[in-house]
Amino acid sequence: MNIKLIVEYDGTNYHGWQIQPSGETIQAVLEKAVAAFLGQSTRVTAAGRTDAGVHALGQVVNFFCDREFDRHRIRRALNALTPGDIAIKEVERVPDSFDARRDGRSRVYEYRILNRAAPSPFYLTTALHVHDALDVDAMKGAIRFLEGEHDFSSFQAAGCDAVHAVRKVYRTSLDQRGELLVYTIEATAFLRHMVRNIVGTLLEVGRGQRSPSSFAELLEAKDRTKAGPTAPPHGLFLMEVKYE
């Protein structure tokens, strides 16, 4: 059986998705739970390797097992075997050819900003607090340059192992949701720290430190040193992975 999971997690206490020599990771915890359920070590594959402190509402994972299990039993068991900051939302049997990472056609990320004078303990680990007033219209003007297929080298972190920096952005938006300002972007795939680097630069536009048109110039420049700082990880969420 090839089993597909939709996983939700709070990444605050983890060193990202991928297993590392030191530090607890989401993958390590999930593989331990799957191994305990199946009675054997099993590798799990994720659609996206989220960084330390990044959250997910719709991470997609798959793994293989050699016995038949009811999907409801798998969900109950894995939720009992994982800590409270990781939850298995859905379980589905899929064709053997399905690969959570390779078959993903687009990923949707959100970055959440609490834009008000005072911080909030309720958003301490799930939104970036920005106390100064932001020009939201200018920020909306900047992100329109990101749609389409571009070289995103200016928003690519050092050490990124991508073969090239060309990505296709299907949609991008900035919306007010109650007290939160939410930036949403959907693309074929993402470079290391790409969304956080876009947000860090976007905040400079909101503060009047650069013009909206500078985003077009950054895409042309293909130079990370010309873009803004990397926004902290805790405001970032992997929302959804889309498949054909």
Side-chain angles (χ1 to χ4, degrees), residues 12 52-55 111 123-129 232-237:
T12 302
V54 175
H55 316 294
Y111 195 97
Y123 294 116
L124 190 63
T125 61
T126 57
L128 173 64
H129 174 232
H234 65 276
L236 186 60
F237 289 74

Side-chain angles (χ1 to χ4, degrees), residues 74-90:
I74 295 173
R75 185 177 62 188
R76 289 194 300 271
L78 294 183
N79 279 325
L81 291 165
T82 49
D85 51 9
I86 299 175
I88 313 305
K89 294 165 65 177
E90 298 177 28

Side-chain angles (χ1 to χ4, degrees), residues 30-47:
L30 199 51
E31 287 189 357
K32 183 178 179 180
V34 171
F37 174 65
L38 297 179
Q40 62 185 47
S41 297
T42 303
R43 178 53 55 98
V44 301
T45 300

Side-chain angles (χ1 to χ4, degrees), residues 11-139:
T12 302
N13 297 319
Y14 298 93
H15 290 252
W17 163 264
Q18 193 169 18
I19 290 176
Q20 301 177 20
S22 61
E24 191 77 281
T25 68
I26 305 292
Q27 183 182 15
V29 171
L30 199 51
E31 287 189 357
K32 183 178 179 180
V34 171
F37 174 65
L38 297 179
Q40 62 185 47
S41 297
T42 303
R43 178 53 55 98
V44 301
T45 300
R49 294 176 293 180
T50 52
D51 293 329
V54 175
H55 316 294
L57 295 180
Q59 174 72 278
V60 179
V61 174
N62 79 289
F63 66 90
F64 287 87
C65 61
D66 56 11
R67 286 178 288 163
E68 295 282 341
F69 289 104
D70 177 79
R71 60 190 179 91
H72 299 295
R73 180 186 173 191
I74 295 173
R75 185 177 62 188
R76 289 194 300 271
L78 294 183
N79 279 325
L81 291 165
T82 49
D85 51 9
I86 299 175
I88 313 305
K89 294 165 65 177
E90 298 177 28
V91 177
E92 178 186 358
R93 182 173 182 176
V94 290
D96 288 351
S97 59
F98 175 82
D99 183 282
R101 184 172 181 82
R102 186 187 63 237
D103 294 345
R105 292 295 173 258
S106 70
R107 283 89 172 154
V108 181
Y109 278 89
E110 283 186 1
Y111 195 97
R112 302 176 181 183
I113 300 165
L114 178 65
N115 185 209
R116 69 180 197 185
S120 168
F122 299 107
Y123 294 116
L124 190 63
T125 61
T126 57
L128 173 64
H129 174 232
V130 176
H131 62 82
D132 27 355
L134 297 172
D135 185 340
V136 177
D137 287 338
M139 295 167 75

